[in-house]
């Protein structure tokens, strides 16, 4: 039988093992030249039960990366913050897959996993020397909400984008 608190405890334990890697990555990007057309930094992780990795995207808006061909120097629109790492002990799930899937859906485990990762990334940012001069968010592909790593608030990324531009309906 799966329990949400035990599941989240394992998630928090596994992500904490790579905290120094994330903090060091933040410290390294402190010295990078961010292009003037970059308006937002997006940390992203695919959410799978088994493995994840953290990637930083330098974007001109909430959805479009900076065009690196227009810039000189060592700028990129994508930075790998971590290698792929173990998120949850997936061993044995094959024989209990239906039970785990029911637990995962019933307990809203995906949303709780995303929230745990968001808070962890915020703590890593706060522990680093990196002070972004533009907004910085944690986003998961295909999710509507993004986590503002500077304020600790969840925001709707479509609304965030519409605040910057005139949205036409």
């Amino acid at each position: 039988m799966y329990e949400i608190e035990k599941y989240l405890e394992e998630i928090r334990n596994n992500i904490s093992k790579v905290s120094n890697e994330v903090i060091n990555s933040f410290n390294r990007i402190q010295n990078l030249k961010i292009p003037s057309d970059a308006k937002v930094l997006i940390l992203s992780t695919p959410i799978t039960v088994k493995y994840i990795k953290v990637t930083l995207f330098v974007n001109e808006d909430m959805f479009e990366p900076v065009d690196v061909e227009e810039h000189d120097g060592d700028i990129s629109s994508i930075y790998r913050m971590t290698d792929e790492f173990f998120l949850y002990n997936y061993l044995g799930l094959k024989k209990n897959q239906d039970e785990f899937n029911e637990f995962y859906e019933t307990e809203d485990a995906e949303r709780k996993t995303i929230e745990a990762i968001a808070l962890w990334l915020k703590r890593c940012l706060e522990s680093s020397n990196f002070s972004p001069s533009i907004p910085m968010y944690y986003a998961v592909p295909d999710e509507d909400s993004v986590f503002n790593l500077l304020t600790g608030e969840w925001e709707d990324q479509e609304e965030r984008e519409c605040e910057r531009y005139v949205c036409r309906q």
Side-chain angles (χ1 to χ4, degrees), residues 17-95:
K17 292 175 184 175
V18 294
S19 292
N20 285 338
E21 185 177 354
V22 172
I23 292 166
N24 289 337
S25 291
F26 279 130
N27 290 336
R28 277 193 305 278
I29 62 175
Q30 173 68 32
N31 299 321
L32 293 177
K33 180 181 143 190
I34 304 288
S36 60
D37 55 341
K39 302 299 180 212
V40 63
L41 301 173
I42 306 282
L43 283 176
S44 184
T45 60
I47 293 298
T48 65
V49 176
K50 194 172 182 181
Y51 294 103
I52 68 168
K53 63 181 174 181
V54 181
T55 306
L56 173 70
F57 295 88
V58 179
N59 285 12
E60 60 186 44
D61 59 34
M62 293 300 286
F63 305 102
E64 294 297 322
V66 168
D67 185 355
V68 295
E69 293 179 7
E70 295 179 6
H71 303 282
D72 294 330
D74 61 346
I75 188 64
S76 173
S77 61
I78 303 173
Y79 295 94
R80 187 184 77 218
M81 300 287 285
T82 67
D83 289 326
E84 192 172 68
F85 64 92
F86 194 62
L87 184 64
Y88 184 73
N89 183 356
Y90 201 73
L91 300 175
L93 283 185
K94 290 198 189 262
K95 63 182 178 181

Side-chain angles (χ1 to χ4, degrees), residues 11-12 23 29 33 77 79 89 110 112 118 139 144 148 166:
I11 297 293
R12 287 188 286 262
I23 292 166
I29 62 175
K33 180 181 143 190
S77 61
Y79 295 94
N89 183 356
E110 181 174 87
K112 292 174 182 175
D144 294 332
N148 186 321
V166 175

Side-chain angles (χ1 to χ4, degrees), residues 116-142:
I117 293 169
L119 292 173
W120 165 68
L121 288 169
K122 184 173 182 356
R123 285 191 301 274
C124 289
L125 177 61
E126 291 169 346
S127 297
S128 75
N129 295 323
F130 183 51
S131 299
S133 59
I134 57 178
M136 185 172 207
Y137 293 90
Y138 166 61
V140 175
D142 300 323

